[in-house]
Amino acid sequence: MKKILLTGLAALFLLAGWFLAGRDERPAPVLPDDPLEIGVEADVEPFSYVGLRGELTGFDVEFAREVCRELHRECRIEPMAFAALLPSLKAGELDLVVAGLAETKKRRVDFLFSEPYYRSGSFFVTTQKRFEHFTPDRIPELVIGVQEGKLQDEYVAEHYVPRGARKKTYSSFDALVDALLSGEVNMIFLDSVPGYTLLNHPRGETLFIGGRAENDDAEFTACRVAAKRGDVPLIEGVNRTLHKLQSNGKFQDLIIRFLPFFSF
């Protein structure tokens, strides 16, 4: 079961690159020379974390650095709580957020989004076999943990709380996982990529997939970079970086480097 899901998610990553063949070949716009302030989510493997040598690394971190190289800008990467990323961008404290953001109608009011740089679904993870592939009649038994500010938080509130589930919100990925392992919640709902990373980590040895989101539509699965609304040249630079990495094979190298458990 895990292998089938992993293979499917790997295909989504590759398709996100292959279907962007129609590139924008217009001359690159003139951009300022000051450092690029980029926000990433703190401490969530494989996107942004501190490596064995004490360096900040991860899929999002390395993609952000590629954007800076393409734009010939110094890179200042700021890890922070996910819920603080968009408010910091709106306040002008950041230029970009690279954190697998979904583009929603509400977010479009204040922010401009890149083309998808990857796609990812969401699924439930549990410690209890009785909730593996749970049926609707078991929803009132669920205490579901979600991460503050993510679409999974809104999804559970909309689709499961009205049917009897209880929802608990946590400020970080680690706090979310700790709540599940300690028994504070009996289910967590999270992005598939850190979810698979968790399942392949020693902390995930006792965990099971409890099922997927009932409706993984395009809005929910397309993960993008965000800039302040109106910052078109910067988002064009992000898209240009994405196209270049996809054409020269570096994007696939990033996937292999940070997602070694995928089967291609």
Side-chain angles (χ1 to χ4, degrees), residues 10-22 246-247 251-252 264:
L12 285 175
F13 268 85
L14 293 174
L15 287 172
W18 293 337
F19 282 109
L20 290 170
Q246 289 165 342
S247 65
F251 187 77
Q252 285 72 24
F264 290 91

Side-chain angles (χ1 to χ4, degrees), residues 82 107 120-124 144-147 149-158 160 167 188-192 194 213 220:
F82 183 88
R107 288 174 175 175
S120 178
S122 298
F123 58 59
F124 293 92
I144 305 172
V146 290
Q147 198 171 338
K150 298 210 169 187
L151 284 193
Q152 288 85 0
D153 186 357
E154 297 179 18
Y155 187 90
V156 169
E158 180 179 347
Y160 288 89
K167 176 175 73 75
I188 59 175
F189 188 49
L190 70 168
D191 180 280
S192 298
F220 206 64

Side-chain angles (χ1 to χ4, degrees), residues 46 58 106 110 172 180 202 237 240 249:
K106 181 180 178 181
D110 297 308
S172 70
L180 178 62
R240 191 168 63 252

Side-chain angles (χ1 to χ4, degrees), residues 11-124:
L12 285 175
F13 268 85
L14 293 174
L15 287 172
W18 293 337
F19 282 109
L20 290 170
R23 296 188 203 113
D24 187 350
E25 299 295 344
R26 291 176 295 173
V30 177
L31 292 161
D33 295 326
D34 52 308
L36 206 54
E37 303 282 352
I38 302 179
V40 296
E41 183 179 359
D43 299 323
V44 56
E45 291 192 50
F47 292 116
S48 172
Y49 59 97
V50 176
L52 296 176
R53 298 178 181 177
E55 79 287 4
L56 183 65
T57 189
F59 186 81
D60 284 344
V61 171
E62 299 306 328
F63 180 67
R65 287 175 175 148
E66 291 292 343
V67 171
C68 293
R69 290 188 188 99
E70 174 65 22
L71 300 182
H72 305 289
R73 304 270 298 273
E74 180 186 343
C75 219
R76 291 182 183 169
I77 298 177
E78 299 289 342
M80 58 182 67
F82 183 88
L85 287 168
L86 289 179
S88 296
L89 180 60
K90 186 176 180 179
E93 297 167 2
L94 298 172
D95 298 305
L96 291 172
V97 170
V98 181
L101 293 166
E103 180 180 7
T104 66
K105 184 177 180 180
K106 181 180 178 181
R107 288 174 175 175
R108 280 196 295 269
V109 173
D110 297 308
F111 307 107
L112 187 65
F113 290 88
S114 72
E115 298 170 12
Y117 69 109
Y118 73 94
R119 292 183 180 272
S120 178
S122 298
F123 58 59
F124 293 92

